[in-house]
Amino acid sequence: MSKSRSDAYAASGVDITAGYESVQLMKKYVDKTITDGVLSDVGGFGGLFMPNISGMEEPILVSGTDGVGTKLKLAFISDKHDTIGIDAVAMCVNDIICSGAKPIFFLDYIACGKNFPEKIAEIVKGVSEGCRQSGAALIGGETAEMPGFYPEDEYDLAGFAVGIVDRKKIIDKSSVKDGDIIIALPSSGIHSNGFSLIRKIYGEKLLSDENLRNKLLTPTKIYVKPILSLIENVAVKGIAHITGGGFYENIPRALPKGLSAKISYEDVKKLPIFDEIMSAGEISRHDMFNTFNMGVGMIAIVSREEVDKSLEILKEAGEDAYVLGEVIKSDEGVILC
């Protein structure tokens, strides 16, 4: 590595040696995510993983990819970079768990205007924590220094996760029927969508109000372990991750054609931050529920007979879950009354 330095490339704004330093600094965080299936080390050209398929008749891989979006702007303003990686992991693993798949590995992509090794390591620290919470191994990634494309102090962060599930255990909403019950798993806050609207509402206040920024930067909650516990003990019929599009876009994705979710507005345990946003921006109720999770980060659909058991399992897993609504015959998707 001692000969790997280009003065010409450095003069253009790309420091190769900073990339090597970043890898060394992040390695201690990556090591915390290593699981039995990891066959590769950080720094190779590809991440190697051997999944455990014992007991599976037809193992199916399930993948998901996402980024953090404009929530990153708040991280830049606050110069706080050690939690935003949790969001990147959460947005991916929370999606693939909706199929009943257990996340097995994750890879990240960081593009920046200038590679500050300590900052990159802080970002990966958060990614590592997200992987630890979801049981996924961080088996690789990429840091791209792109001067002139991004400002020096800004970056973008995205990634993808891969999970595995036995084909016969895939949750595909096909068994959902009229009368089934919708269970809510509370969110930790805004999670990672709707921040363009939030920035429009609060504007310059975001620059001066550190408490508000910290509240908005609360990482996306990762639901992998409680959901895995639930599907191991209950016949879960459908799951939806409540992200961009809120209730109106995401809940119908867990419902077959001809069925809708009937939810009482008063039954939604909204977090105070959403009332604050609604008031500050003079946002309609419909637009709030069509943009934000409103305090519900994920929903699971079970038969009426298994509601009590489901709530108890989720409680044991640390979730303050509750009955949100029911499935009815309708083509409206979501009926919020």
Coordinates of all heavy atoms in Angstrom, one line a residue, residues 21-108:
E21 N -7.4 4.7 5.0 CA -7.5 5.0 6.4 C -8.9 4.8 6.9 O -9.1 4.3 8.0 CB -7.1 6.5 6.7 CG -7.1 6.9 8.2 CD -6.7 8.3 8.4 OE1 -6.1 9.0 7.4 OE2 -6.9 8.8 9.5
S22 N -9.9 5.1 6.1 CA -11.3 4.9 6.4 C -11.6 3.4 6.7 O -12.3 3.1 7.7 CB -12.2 5.4 5.3 OG -12.1 6.8 5.1
V23 N -11.0 2.6 5.8 CA -11.2 1.2 6.0 C -10.7 0.7 7.3 O -11.3 -0.1 8.0 CB -10.6 0.4 4.8 CG1 -10.6 -1.1 5.1 CG2 -11.3 0.7 3.5
Q24 N -9.5 1.2 7.7 CA -8.9 0.7 8.9 C -9.7 1.2 10.1 O -9.9 0.5 11.1 CB -7.5 1.3 9.0 CG -6.5 0.6 8.0 CD -6.5 -0.9 8.1 OE1 -6.3 -1.5 9.2 NE2 -6.7 -1.6 7.0
L25 N -10.2 2.4 10.0 CA -11.0 3.0 11.2 C -12.3 2.3 11.3 O -12.8 2.1 12.5 CB -11.2 4.5 11.0 CG -10.0 5.4 11.1 CD1 -10.3 6.8 10.8 CD2 -9.4 5.3 12.5
M26 N -13.0 1.9 10.2 CA -14.3 1.3 10.3 C -14.2 -0.2 10.6 O -15.2 -0.8 11.1 CB -15.0 1.5 9.0 CG -14.5 0.7 7.8 SD -15.5 0.9 6.3 CE -15.2 2.5 5.8
K27 N -13.1 -0.8 10.5 CA -13.0 -2.3 10.7 C -13.4 -2.7 12.0 O -14.1 -3.8 12.2 CB -11.5 -2.7 10.4 CG -11.4 -4.2 10.2 CD -10.0 -4.6 9.9 CE -9.9 -6.1 9.5 NZ -10.4 -7.0 10.6
K28 N -13.2 -2.0 13.1 CA -13.6 -2.4 14.4 C -15.1 -2.4 14.6 O -15.6 -3.2 15.3 CB -13.0 -1.5 15.5 CG -13.4 0.0 15.4 CD -12.7 0.8 16.5 CE -13.1 2.3 16.3 NZ -12.4 3.1 17.4
Y29 N -15.8 -1.6 13.8 CA -17.2 -1.6 13.8 C -17.8 -2.8 13.0 O -18.8 -3.4 13.4 CB -17.8 -0.3 13.3 CG -17.3 0.9 14.1 CD1 -16.6 1.9 13.5 CD2 -17.6 1.0 15.5 CE1 -16.2 3.0 14.2 CE2 -17.1 2.1 16.2 CZ -16.4 3.1 15.5 OH -16.0 4.2 16.3
V30 N -17.2 -3.0 11.9 CA -17.6 -4.1 11.0 C -17.4 -5.4 11.7 O -18.3 -6.3 11.6 CB -16.8 -4.1 9.7 CG1 -17.1 -5.3 8.8 CG2 -17.0 -2.8 8.9
D31 N -16.3 -5.6 12.4 CA -16.1 -6.9 13.1 C -17.2 -7.2 14.1 O -17.4 -8.4 14.4 CB -14.7 -6.8 13.9 CG -13.5 -6.8 13.0 OD1 -13.7 -7.2 11.8 OD2 -12.4 -6.5 13.4
K32 N -17.9 -6.2 14.6 CA -19.0 -6.5 15.6 C -20.2 -7.1 14.9 O -21.1 -7.6 15.6 CB -19.4 -5.2 16.3 CG -18.3 -4.6 17.2 CD -18.8 -3.3 17.8 CE -17.7 -2.7 18.7 NZ -18.2 -1.4 19.3
T33 N -20.3 -7.1 13.6 CA -21.4 -7.7 12.9 C -21.2 -9.1 12.3 O -22.1 -9.6 11.7 CB -21.8 -6.7 11.7 OG1 -20.9 -6.9 10.7 CG2 -21.9 -5.3 12.2
I34 N -20.0 -9.6 12.5 CA -19.6 -10.9 11.9 C -20.5 -12.0 12.4 O -20.6 -12.1 13.6 CB -18.1 -11.2 12.1 CG1 -17.3 -10.2 11.3 CG2 -17.8 -12.6 11.6 CD1 -15.8 -10.4 11.5
T35 N -21.1 -12.8 11.5 CA -21.8 -13.9 11.9 C -21.2 -15.2 11.3 O -20.2 -15.1 10.6 CB -23.3 -13.8 11.4 OG1 -23.3 -13.7 9.9 CG2 -24.0 -12.6 11.9
D36 N -21.7 -16.3 11.6 CA -21.1 -17.6 11.2 C -21.0 -17.7 9.7 O -20.1 -18.5 9.2 CB -21.9 -18.8 11.7 CG -21.8 -18.9 13.2 OD1 -20.9 -18.3 13.8 OD2 -22.7 -19.6 13.8
G37 N -21.9 -17.1 8.9 CA -21.8 -17.2 7.5 C -20.8 -16.4 6.7 O -20.6 -16.6 5.5
V38 N -20.2 -15.4 7.4 CA -19.2 -14.5 6.8 C -17.9 -15.3 6.4 O -17.3 -15.9 7.2 CB -18.9 -13.3 7.7 CG1 -17.8 -12.4 7.0 CG2 -20.1 -12.5 8.0
L39 N -17.6 -15.2 5.1 CA -16.3 -15.8 4.6 C -15.3 -14.8 4.1 O -14.2 -15.2 3.8 CB -16.7 -16.8 3.5 CG -17.7 -17.9 3.7 CD1 -17.9 -18.7 2.5 CD2 -17.2 -18.8 4.9
S40 N -15.7 -13.5 4.1 CA -14.8 -12.5 3.5 C -14.4 -11.5 4.6 O -15.0 -11.4 5.6 CB -15.4 -11.8 2.3 OG -16.7 -11.2 2.7
D41 N -13.4 -10.7 4.3 CA -12.9 -9.7 5.2 C -13.1 -8.3 4.5 O -13.2 -8.3 3.2 CB -11.4 -9.9 5.5 CG -11.0 -9.1 6.7 OD1 -11.9 -8.4 7.3 OD2 -9.8 -9.1 7.0
V42 N -13.2 -7.2 5.2 CA -13.3 -5.9 4.6 C -12.1 -5.6 3.8 O -10.9 -5.9 4.2 CB -13.4 -4.9 5.7 CG1 -13.5 -3.5 5.1 CG2 -14.7 -5.1 6.5
G43 N -12.3 -5.0 2.6 CA -11.2 -4.6 1.7 C -11.1 -5.5 0.5 O -10.3 -5.2 -0.4
G44 N -11.9 -6.6 0.4 CA -11.8 -7.4 -0.8 C -12.7 -6.8 -1.9 O -13.3 -5.8 -1.7
F45 N -12.8 -7.5 -3.0 CA -13.6 -7.0 -4.1 C -15.1 -7.4 -4.0 O -15.9 -6.8 -4.7 CB -13.0 -7.5 -5.5 CG -11.7 -6.8 -5.8 CD1 -10.5 -7.4 -5.5 CD2 -11.7 -5.6 -6.4 CE1 -9.3 -6.8 -5.9 CE2 -10.5 -4.9 -6.7 CZ -9.3 -5.6 -6.5
G46 N -15.4 -8.4 -3.2 CA -16.7 -8.8 -3.1 C -16.9 -9.4 -1.7 O -16.0 -10.0 -1.1
G47 N -18.1 -9.3 -1.2 CA -18.5 -9.9 0.1 C -18.9 -11.3 0.0 O -19.9 -11.6 -0.8
L48 N -18.3 -12.2 0.7 CA -18.7 -13.6 0.6 C -19.5 -14.1 1.8 O -19.2 -13.7 3.0 CB -17.4 -14.5 0.5 CG -16.4 -14.1 -0.6 CD1 -15.2 -15.1 -0.6 CD2 -17.1 -14.1 -2.0
F49 N -20.6 -14.8 1.6 CA -21.4 -15.2 2.7 C -22.0 -16.6 2.3 O -22.5 -16.8 1.2 CB -22.6 -14.2 2.9 CG -23.3 -14.5 4.2 CD1 -22.9 -13.8 5.3 CD2 -24.4 -15.3 4.2 CE1 -23.6 -14.0 6.5 CE2 -25.1 -15.6 5.4 CZ -24.7 -14.9 6.6
M50 N -21.9 -17.5 3.3 CA -22.5 -18.9 3.1 C -23.7 -19.0 4.0 O -23.6 -19.2 5.2 CB -21.5 -20.0 3.4 CG -22.0 -21.4 3.2 SD -20.7 -22.6 3.4 CE -20.4 -22.5 5.1
P51 N -24.9 -18.9 3.5 CA -26.1 -19.0 4.3 C -26.4 -20.3 4.9 O -26.0 -21.4 4.3 CB -27.2 -18.6 3.4 CG -26.7 -19.0 2.0 CD -25.3 -18.7 2.1
N52 N -26.9 -20.4 6.1 CA -27.3 -21.6 6.7 C -28.7 -22.0 6.2 O -29.7 -21.4 6.6 CB -27.3 -21.5 8.2 CG -27.7 -22.8 8.9 OD1 -27.9 -23.8 8.3 ND2 -27.8 -22.7 10.2
I53 N -28.8 -23.0 5.4 CA -30.1 -23.4 4.8 C -30.6 -24.8 5.4 O -31.5 -25.4 4.9 CB -30.0 -23.6 3.3 CG1 -29.0 -24.6 2.8 CG2 -29.7 -22.2 2.7 CD1 -29.0 -24.9 1.4
S54 N -30.0 -25.2 6.5 CA -30.4 -26.4 7.1 C -31.9 -26.3 7.6 O -32.3 -25.3 8.1 CB -29.5 -26.7 8.3 OG -29.6 -25.7 9.3
G55 N -32.6 -27.3 7.3 CA -34.1 -27.4 7.6 C -35.0 -26.7 6.6 O -36.2 -26.8 6.8
M56 N -34.4 -26.1 5.6 CA -35.2 -25.4 4.6 C -35.4 -26.3 3.4 O -34.4 -26.9 2.9 CB -34.5 -24.1 4.1 CG -34.5 -23.0 5.2 SD -34.0 -21.4 4.5 CE -34.0 -20.4 6.0
E57 N -36.6 -26.4 2.9 CA -36.8 -27.2 1.7 C -36.5 -26.5 0.4 O -35.9 -27.0 -0.5 CB -38.3 -27.7 1.7 CG -38.6 -28.6 2.9 CD -40.1 -29.0 2.9 OE1 -40.8 -28.6 1.9 OE2 -40.6 -29.5 3.9
E58 N -36.9 -25.2 0.4 CA -36.7 -24.4 -0.8 C -36.3 -23.0 -0.3 O -37.1 -22.1 -0.2 CB -37.9 -24.2 -1.7 CG -38.4 -25.5 -2.3 CD -39.6 -25.3 -3.2 OE1 -40.7 -25.4 -2.7 OE2 -39.4 -25.1 -4.4
P59 N -35.0 -22.8 0.0 CA -34.5 -21.5 0.5 C -34.7 -20.4 -0.6 O -34.2 -20.6 -1.8 CB -33.1 -21.7 0.8 CG -32.7 -22.9 0.1 CD -33.9 -23.8 -0.1
I60 N -35.3 -19.3 -0.3 CA -35.5 -18.2 -1.2 C -34.8 -16.9 -0.6 O -34.9 -16.6 0.5 CB -37.0 -17.9 -1.3 CG1 -37.8 -19.1 -1.8 CG2 -37.2 -16.7 -2.3 CD1 -37.4 -19.6 -3.2
L61 N -34.0 -16.3 -1.5 CA -33.3 -15.0 -1.1 C -34.3 -13.9 -1.4 O -35.0 -13.8 -2.4 CB -32.1 -14.8 -1.9 CG -30.9 -15.9 -1.7 CD1 -29.7 -15.5 -2.6 CD2 -30.5 -15.9 -0.2
V62 N -34.3 -13.0 -0.4 CA -35.2 -11.8 -0.5 C -34.3 -10.5 -0.3 O -33.5 -10.5 0.6 CB -36.3 -11.7 0.6 CG1 -37.1 -10.5 0.4 CG2 -37.1 -13.0 0.5
S63 N -34.3 -9.6 -1.2 CA -33.4 -8.4 -1.2 C -34.2 -7.1 -1.1 O -35.4 -7.0 -1.5 CB -32.5 -8.4 -2.4 OG -33.3 -8.3 -3.6
G64 N -33.5 -6.1 -0.5 CA -34.1 -4.8 -0.5 C -33.1 -3.7 -0.5 O -32.0 -3.9 0.1
T65 N -33.3 -2.6 -1.1 CA -32.4 -1.5 -1.1 C -33.1 -0.2 -0.9 O -34.2 0.0 -1.2 CB -31.7 -1.5 -2.5 OG1 -30.6 -0.5 -2.5 CG2 -32.6 -1.2 -3.6
D66 N -32.3 0.7 -0.3 CA -32.9 2.0 0.1 C -31.8 3.0 0.5 O -30.7 2.6 0.7 CB -34.0 1.9 1.2 CG -35.1 2.9 1.1 OD1 -34.8 4.0 0.4 OD2 -36.2 2.7 1.6
G67 N -32.2 4.2 0.7 CA -31.3 5.2 1.2 C -31.9 5.9 2.4 O -32.9 5.5 2.9
V68 N -31.3 7.0 2.8 CA -31.8 7.7 4.0 C -32.6 9.0 3.6 O -33.4 9.5 4.4 CB -30.6 8.1 4.9 CG1 -31.1 8.9 6.1 CG2 -29.8 6.8 5.4
G69 N -32.4 9.4 2.4 CA -33.1 10.6 1.9 C -32.6 11.9 2.5 O -31.4 12.0 3.0
T70 N -33.4 12.9 2.5 CA -33.0 14.2 2.9 C -32.9 14.4 4.4 O -32.5 15.5 4.9 CB -33.9 15.3 2.3 OG1 -35.2 15.2 2.8 CG2 -33.9 15.3 0.8
K71 N -33.1 13.3 5.2 CA -32.8 13.3 6.6 C -31.3 13.6 6.8 O -30.9 14.1 7.8 CB -33.2 12.0 7.2 CG -33.0 11.9 8.7 CD -33.5 10.6 9.3 CE -33.5 10.6 10.8 NZ -34.1 9.3 11.4
L72 N -30.5 13.3 5.8 CA -29.1 13.5 5.8 C -28.8 15.0 6.1 O -27.8 15.3 6.7 CB -28.4 13.1 4.5 CG -28.3 11.5 4.3 CD1 -27.9 11.2 2.9 CD2 -27.3 10.9 5.3
K73 N -29.6 15.9 5.6 CA -29.4 17.3 5.7 C -29.3 17.7 7.2 O -28.5 18.6 7.6 CB -30.5 18.1 5.0 CG -30.5 18.1 3.5 CD -29.3 19.0 3.0 CE -29.4 19.1 1.5 NZ -28.3 20.0 1.0
L74 N -30.1 17.0 8.0 CA -30.1 17.3 9.5 C -28.8 16.8 10.1 O -28.3 17.4 11.0 CB -31.3 16.7 10.2 CG -32.6 17.5 10.1 CD1 -33.2 17.5 8.7 CD2 -33.6 17.1 11.1
A75 N -28.3 15.7 9.6 CA -27.0 15.2 10.1 C -25.9 16.1 9.7 O -25.0 16.4 10.6 CB -26.8 13.8 9.5
F76 N -26.0 16.7 8.6 CA -24.9 17.7 8.2 C -25.0 18.9 9.1 O -23.9 19.4 9.5 CB -25.1 18.2 6.7 CG -25.2 17.1 5.7 CD1 -25.8 17.2 4.5 CD2 -24.6 15.8 5.9 CE1 -25.8 16.2 3.5 CE2 -24.6 14.8 5.0 CZ -25.2 15.0 3.8
I77 N -26.2 19.4 9.3 CA -26.3 20.6 10.1 C -25.8 20.4 11.6 O -25.1 21.2 12.1 CB -27.8 21.1 10.2 CG1 -28.3 21.6 8.8 CG2 -28.0 22.2 11.2 CD1 -29.8 21.8 8.7
S78 N -26.2 19.2 12.1 CA -25.8 18.9 13.5 C -24.4 18.3 13.6 O -23.9 18.2 14.7 CB -26.8 17.8 14.0 OG -28.1 18.3 14.0
D79 N -23.8 18.0 12.4 CA -22.4 17.4 12.4 C -22.5 16.1 13.3 O -21.6 15.8 14.1 CB -21.3 18.3 12.9 CG -19.9 17.8 12.6 OD1 -19.8 17.0 11.6 OD2 -19.0 18.2 13.3
K80 N -23.6 15.4 13.1 CA -23.8 14.1 13.9 C -24.0 13.0 12.9 O -24.9 13.0 12.1 CB -25.0 14.2 14.8 CG -25.3 13.0 15.6 CD -26.5 13.2 16.6 CE -26.9 11.9 17.2 NZ -25.8 11.2 17.9
H81 N -23.1 12.0 12.9 CA -23.1 11.0 11.8 C -23.1 9.6 12.3 O -22.9 8.7 11.5 CB -21.8 11.3 10.9 CG -21.6 12.7 10.5 ND1 -22.4 13.3 9.5 CD2 -20.8 13.7 11.0 CE1 -22.0 14.6 9.4 NE2 -21.1 14.8 10.3
D82 N -23.2 9.4 13.6 CA -23.1 8.0 14.1 C -24.4 7.3 14.2 O -24.4 6.1 14.7 CB -22.4 8.1 15.5 CG -23.2 8.9 16.5 OD1 -24.1 9.7 16.1 OD2 -22.9 8.7 17.7
T83 N -25.5 7.9 13.9 CA -26.8 7.1 13.9 C -27.5 7.0 12.6 O -28.3 6.2 12.4 CB -27.8 7.8 14.9 OG1 -28.1 9.1 14.4 CG2 -27.2 7.9 16.3
I84 N -27.1 7.8 11.6 CA -27.7 7.9 10.3 C -27.6 6.5 9.6 O -28.4 6.1 8.8 CB -27.2 9.0 9.4 CG1 -28.2 9.5 8.4 CG2 -25.9 8.7 8.8 CD1 -29.4 10.3 9.0
G85 N -26.5 5.8 9.9 CA -26.3 4.5 9.3 C -27.4 3.5 9.8 O -27.7 2.5 9.1
I86 N -27.9 3.7 11.0 CA -29.0 2.8 11.5 C -30.2 2.9 10.6 O -30.8 1.9 10.2 CB -29.3 3.1 13.0 CG1 -28.2 3.0 13.9 CG2 -30.5 2.3 13.4 CD1 -28.4 3.4 15.3
D87 N -30.5 4.2 10.2 CA -31.6 4.4 9.3 C -31.4 3.7 8.0 O -32.3 3.1 7.4 CB -31.7 5.9 9.0 CG -32.1 6.7 10.2 OD1 -33.3 6.7 10.5 OD2 -31.3 7.4 10.8
A88 N -30.2 3.7 7.4 CA -29.9 3.0 6.1 C -30.2 1.5 6.2 O -30.8 1.0 5.3 CB -28.5 3.3 5.7
V89 N -29.7 0.9 7.3 CA -30.0 -0.5 7.5 C -31.5 -0.8 7.7 O -32.1 -1.7 7.1 CB -29.2 -1.1 8.7 CG1 -29.5 -2.5 8.9 CG2 -27.7 -0.9 8.4
A90 N -32.1 0.0 8.6 CA -33.5 -0.2 8.9 C -34.4 -0.1 7.7 O -35.3 -1.0 7.6 CB -33.9 0.9 10.0
M91 N -34.2 0.8 6.8 CA -35.0 1.0 5.7 C -35.0 -0.2 4.8 O -36.0 -0.5 4.0 CB -34.7 2.2 4.9 CG -34.9 3.5 5.7 SD -36.6 3.7 6.3 CE -37.4 4.2 4.7
C92 N -33.9 -1.0 4.8 CA -33.8 -2.2 4.0 C -34.3 -3.4 4.7 O -35.1 -4.2 4.2 CB -32.3 -2.4 3.6 SG -31.6 -1.1 2.6
V93 N -33.8 -3.7 5.9 CA -34.2 -4.9 6.6 C -35.7 -4.9 7.0 O -36.3 -6.0 7.1 CB -33.3 -5.2 7.9 CG1 -31.9 -5.4 7.4 CG2 -33.4 -4.0 8.9
N94 N -36.2 -3.7 7.3 CA -37.7 -3.7 7.7 C -38.5 -4.0 6.5 O -39.7 -4.5 6.6 CB -38.0 -2.3 8.2 CG -37.6 -2.0 9.6 OD1 -37.2 -2.9 10.3 ND2 -37.6 -0.8 10.0
D95 N -38.0 -3.8 5.3 CA -38.7 -4.1 4.1 C -38.7 -5.7 3.8 O -39.7 -6.3 3.6 CB -38.1 -3.4 2.8 CG -38.6 -2.0 2.7 OD1 -39.5 -1.6 3.4 OD2 -38.1 -1.3 1.7
I96 N -37.5 -6.3 4.0 CA -37.5 -7.7 3.6 C -38.1 -8.6 4.7 O -38.5 -9.7 4.4 CB -36.0 -8.1 3.3 CG1 -35.1 -8.0 4.5 CG2 -35.4 -7.3 2.2 CD1 -33.7 -8.6 4.2
I97 N -38.2 -8.1 5.9 CA -38.8 -8.9 6.9 C -40.3 -9.0 6.7 O -41.0 -9.9 7.2 CB -38.6 -8.3 8.4 CG1 -39.0 -9.3 9.5 CG2 -39.4 -7.0 8.5 CD1 -38.1 -10.5 9.5
C98 N -40.9 -8.1 5.8 CA -42.3 -8.1 5.5 C -42.6 -9.4 4.7 O -43.8 -9.8 4.7 CB -42.7 -6.9 4.7 SG -42.7 -5.4 5.6
S99 N -41.6 -10.0 4.1 CA -41.9 -11.3 3.4 C -41.6 -12.5 4.3 O -41.7 -13.6 3.9 CB -40.9 -11.4 2.2 OG -41.2 -10.3 1.3
G100 N -41.2 -12.2 5.5 CA -40.9 -13.3 6.5 C -39.4 -13.7 6.4 O -39.0 -14.7 7.0
A101 N -38.6 -12.9 5.6 CA -37.2 -13.3 5.4 C -36.3 -12.8 6.6 O -36.4 -11.6 7.0 CB -36.7 -12.8 4.1
K102 N -35.4 -13.6 7.0 CA -34.4 -13.2 8.0 C -33.2 -12.5 7.3 O -32.6 -13.2 6.5 CB -34.0 -14.4 8.8 CG -32.9 -14.1 9.9 CD -32.4 -15.4 10.6 CE -31.3 -15.1 11.6 NZ -30.8 -16.3 12.3
P103 N -32.9 -11.3 7.7 CA -31.7 -10.6 7.0 C -30.5 -11.4 7.4 O -30.3 -11.8 8.5 CB -31.8 -9.2 7.7 CG -33.2 -9.0 8.1 CD -33.6 -10.4 8.6
I104 N -29.6 -11.6 6.4 CA -28.4 -12.3 6.6 C -27.1 -11.4 6.4 O -26.1 -11.6 7.0 CB -28.3 -13.6 5.9 CG1 -28.5 -13.4 4.4 CG2 -29.3 -14.6 6.4 CD1 -28.4 -14.7 3.5
F105 N -27.2 -10.5 5.4 CA -26.1 -9.6 5.2 C -26.5 -8.3 4.6 O -27.6 -8.1 4.0 CB -24.9 -10.2 4.4 CG -25.3 -10.6 3.0 CD1 -25.3 -9.6 2.0 CD2 -25.5 -11.9 2.7 CE1 -25.5 -10.0 0.7 CE2 -25.7 -12.3 1.4 CZ -25.7 -11.3 0.4
F106 N -25.6 -7.3 4.8 CA -25.9 -5.9 4.3 C -24.6 -5.3 3.7 O -23.5 -5.7 4.1 CB -26.3 -5.1 5.5 CG -26.7 -3.6 5.2 CD1 -28.0 -3.3 4.7 CD2 -25.8 -2.6 5.3 CE1 -28.3 -2.0 4.4 CE2 -26.1 -1.3 5.0 CZ -27.4 -1.0 4.5
L107 N -24.8 -4.5 2.7 CA -23.7 -3.7 2.1 C -24.1 -2.3 2.0 O -25.2 -2.0 1.7 CB -23.3 -4.2 0.7 CG -22.5 -5.6 0.7 CD1 -23.4 -6.7 0.7 CD2 -21.5 -5.6 -0.5
D108 N -23.1 -1.4 2.3 CA -23.5 0.1 2.2 C -22.7 0.8 1.1 O -21.8 0.2 0.5 CB -23.2 0.8 3.5 CG -21.7 0.7 3.9 OD1 -20.8 0.4 3.1 OD2 -21.4 0.9 5.1

